[in-house]
C-alpha cells in the first residue's frame, strides 16, 4: 500500500501526518518506508535529524540520487534500496530529501521522468509493506510523481476558509491526474487537522465538506503543542507520547485506514 499525503497548501500537516502514520505502522510491525519529496526536508529532519553533508553529498542523497541515476550513470544503476536510510525506529525507513531537488526539477521534467518514482517504488514492493510519501506544498513535478506512484492520497485539511477554497482546486487537479496518468489512485480521504471543538468555524467547515459528500475521516486531529514538541525532539508521537490525546486520534485515523485497506482487498 502506497499513500501520498498531499495538499498544495503549506503548513496543513502533510509532514506531521505522513511521519506519524508511518511511525505507527512501523511500531505495529509493518516494514514502512517514508519518501520525502519536499526540498525543505522537514520529514528527513523529523526522522533522522540534520544530515551530515560530507558523508552524504546532496546530489547523491536519497531521492536526488535515485533521480540522478535516471539521467546519468544509466549503465551502473543501483537498486532503489541503496538510497534508503534506516531511522532510529525499528521497521521505519526513509528515502530522504535533498537540497538539490529544486535545482533538478526542470531537467527531470523536460526529460519526462514523471514515471520514475513509480518505477523505483515498484521495485521495492517486496521490501516494504507500507509506503508514505510526503510532498512539497505545490502541484509540481515531485507531487505529481508521487500521485502517479501511489495507490491512495490523503488530504490534510486545516480548517480555515482559504483551505476550503483550495481544496476544490486540489480535488480538480487530482481528478485530472487520475484521468491522465493513474486511474487506480483512490482519494482515500480528507484528514481534519488542527481541529478545535471550542471554535465555531472548524465544525461548520467540516460539516459543509461532509454535506457535499466529500470523504472526511471520522478521526479529527486536534491542535496540540505536543506536535511541535514532537518535531523539536525528533520523535514521532507514538514514541514520544504514546498515550497523548493526539496520538490516540492518530491511532484512530490509522484504524480507519486499515479498514479501508481491508475493504479494498475484499
Ligand atoms: N495537530 C497539530 N497540532 C499542533 N501543531 C501542528 C499540528 N499539525 C501540524 N502542526 C504544526 O504546524 C506546522 C506545519 O505542519 P507540517 O506537518 O510541517 O505541515 P506541512 O508539511 O503541510 O507544511 C508545524 O510546525 C507543525 O508542528
Ligand atoms: Mg511538509
Amino acid at each position: 500500500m502506497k499513500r501520498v499525503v498531499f495538499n498544495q497548501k503549506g503548513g496543513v500537516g502533510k509532514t506531521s501526518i505522513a511521519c506519524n502514520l508511518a511511525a505507527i505502522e512501523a511500531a505495529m510491525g509493518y516494514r514502512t518506508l517514508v519518501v520525502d519529496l519536499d526540498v525543505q526536508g522537514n520529514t528527513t529532519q523529523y526522522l533522522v535529524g540534520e544530515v551530515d553533508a560530507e558523508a552524504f553529498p546532496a546530489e547523491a542523497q536519497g531521492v536526488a540520487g535515485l533521480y540522478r541515476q535516471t539521467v546519468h550513470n544509466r549503465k551502473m544503476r543501483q537498486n532503489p534500496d541503496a538510497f534508503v536510510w534506516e531511522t532510529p525506529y525499528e521497521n521505519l525507513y526513509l528515502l530522504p530529501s535533498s537540497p538539490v531537488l529544486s535545482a533538478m526539477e526542470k531537467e527531470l521534467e523536460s526529460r519526462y521522468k514523471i514515471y520514475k518514482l513509480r518505477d523505483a517504488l515498484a521495485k521495492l514492493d517486496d521490501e516494504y509493506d507500507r509506503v508514505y510519501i510526503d510532498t512539497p506544498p505545490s502541484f509540481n513535478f515531485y507531487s505529481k510523481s508521487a500521485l502517479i506512484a501511489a495507490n491512495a492520497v490523503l488530504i490534510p485539511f486545516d480548517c480555515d476558509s482559504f483551505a476550503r477554497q483550495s481544496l476544490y482546486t486540489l480535488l480538480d487537479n487530482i481528478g485530472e491526474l487520475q484521468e491522465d496518468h493513474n486511474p487506480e489512485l483512490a482519494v482515500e480521504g480528507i484528514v481534519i487537522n488542527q481541529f478545535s471543538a471550542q471554535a465555531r468555524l472548524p465544525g461548520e467547515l467540516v460539516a459543509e465538506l461532509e454535506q457535499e459528500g466529500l470523504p472526511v475521516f471520522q478521526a479529527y486531529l486536534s491542535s496540540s503543542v505536543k506536535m511541535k514538541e514532537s518535531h523539536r525532539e525528533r520523535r514521532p508521537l507514538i514514541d514520544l507520547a504514546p498515550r497523548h490525546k493526539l496520538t490516540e486520534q492518530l491511532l484512530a485515523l490509522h484504524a480507519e485506514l486499515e479498514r479501508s485497506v481491508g475493504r479494498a482487498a475484499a
Side-chain angles (χ1 to χ4, degrees):
M1 184 65 179
K2 289 168 228 160
R3 293 195 171 95
V4 50
V5 183
F6 179 58
N7 190 325
Q8 75 272 41
K9 196 165 175 276
V12 293
K14 292 182 286 295
T15 298
S16 304
I17 291 166
C19 292
N20 279 291
L21 287 176
I24 285 173
E25 302 258 27
M28 288 179 168
Y30 295 108
R31 278 178 67 89
T32 305
L33 175 67
V34 182
V35 181
D36 186 1
L37 288 183
D38 187 356
V39 68
Q40 291 183 63
N42 293 342
T43 277
T44 301
Q45 283 162 33
Y46 192 8
L47 298 180
V48 299
E50 292 302 330
V51 174
D52 175 353
E54 269 180 42
F56 300 100
E59 67 282 1
Q61 183 182 312
V63 177
L66 192 66
Y67 274 118
R68 189 159 167 258
Q69 65 172 5
T70 71
V71 181
H72 310 286
N73 309 337
R74 284 186 26 245
K75 297 224 166 65
M76 293 162 51
R77 214 170 269 174
Q78 290 178 279
N79 186 282
D81 225 11
F83 300 96
V84 172
W85 292 0
E86 288 183 354
T87 72
Y89 306 96
E90 197 179 355
N91 297 319
L92 189 61
Y93 297 85
L94 172 71
L95 191 56
S97 167
S98 158
V100 299
L101 287 181
S102 306
M104 293 175 77
E105 186 177 354
K106 268 216 168 73
E107 183 181 24
L108 294 173
E109 197 152 31
S110 68
R111 289 174 177 248
Y112 305 103
K113 302 295 183 187
I114 198 96
Y115 295 106
K116 291 296 176 187
L117 183 69
R118 182 184 70 183
D119 297 348
L121 294 183
K123 289 204 180 97
L124 299 177
D125 275 346
D126 293 339
E127 291 293 317
Y128 301 98
D129 305 311
R130 302 291 156 88
V131 176
Y132 282 84
I133 313 176
D134 187 22
T135 51
S138 72
F139 193 54
N140 68 4
F141 170 83
Y142 296 112
S143 45
K144 284 180 201 164
S145 297
L147 289 160
I148 289 172
N151 317 111
V153 53
L154 299 180
I155 303 171
F157 179 80
D158 67 350
C159 301
D160 80 26
S161 43
F162 295 119
R164 178 162 178 247
Q165 207 42 47
S166 71
L167 187 62
Y168 291 101
T169 314
L170 171 65
L171 290 169
D172 210 40
N173 285 339
I174 293 176
E176 188 179 347
L177 182 132
Q178 280 171 317
E179 210 173 286
D180 293 345
H181 300 284
N182 188 3
E184 311 287 300
L185 179 72
V187 178
E188 211 169 6
I190 296 168
V191 181
I192 306 299
N193 189 28
Q194 306 242 31
F195 187 77
S196 154
Q198 281 83 39
R200 202 167 48 95
L201 183 68
E204 283 177 9
L205 281 170
V206 174
E208 277 170 27
L209 299 182
E210 283 171 341
Q211 273 156 25
E212 284 159 18
L214 294 173
V216 179
F217 288 108
Q218 292 305 303
Y220 302 165
L221 308 179
S222 8
S223 183
S224 162
V225 289
K226 251 315 171 229
M227 184 64 91
K228 295 201 196 300
E229 196 184 321
S230 156
H231 281 260
R232 203 172 52 239
E233 302 262 322
R234 298 185 168 134
R235 287 171 65 190
L237 286 162
I238 192 73
D239 181 64
L240 179 71
R243 291 184 209 294
H244 191 271
K245 179 176 159 205
L246 186 51
T247 314
E248 280 175 2
Q249 292 166 340
L250 282 157
L251 285 163
L253 173 63
H254 178 259
E256 280 186 66
L257 292 174
E258 286 295 281
R259 284 198 289 277
S260 76
V261 172
R263 271 202 303 277

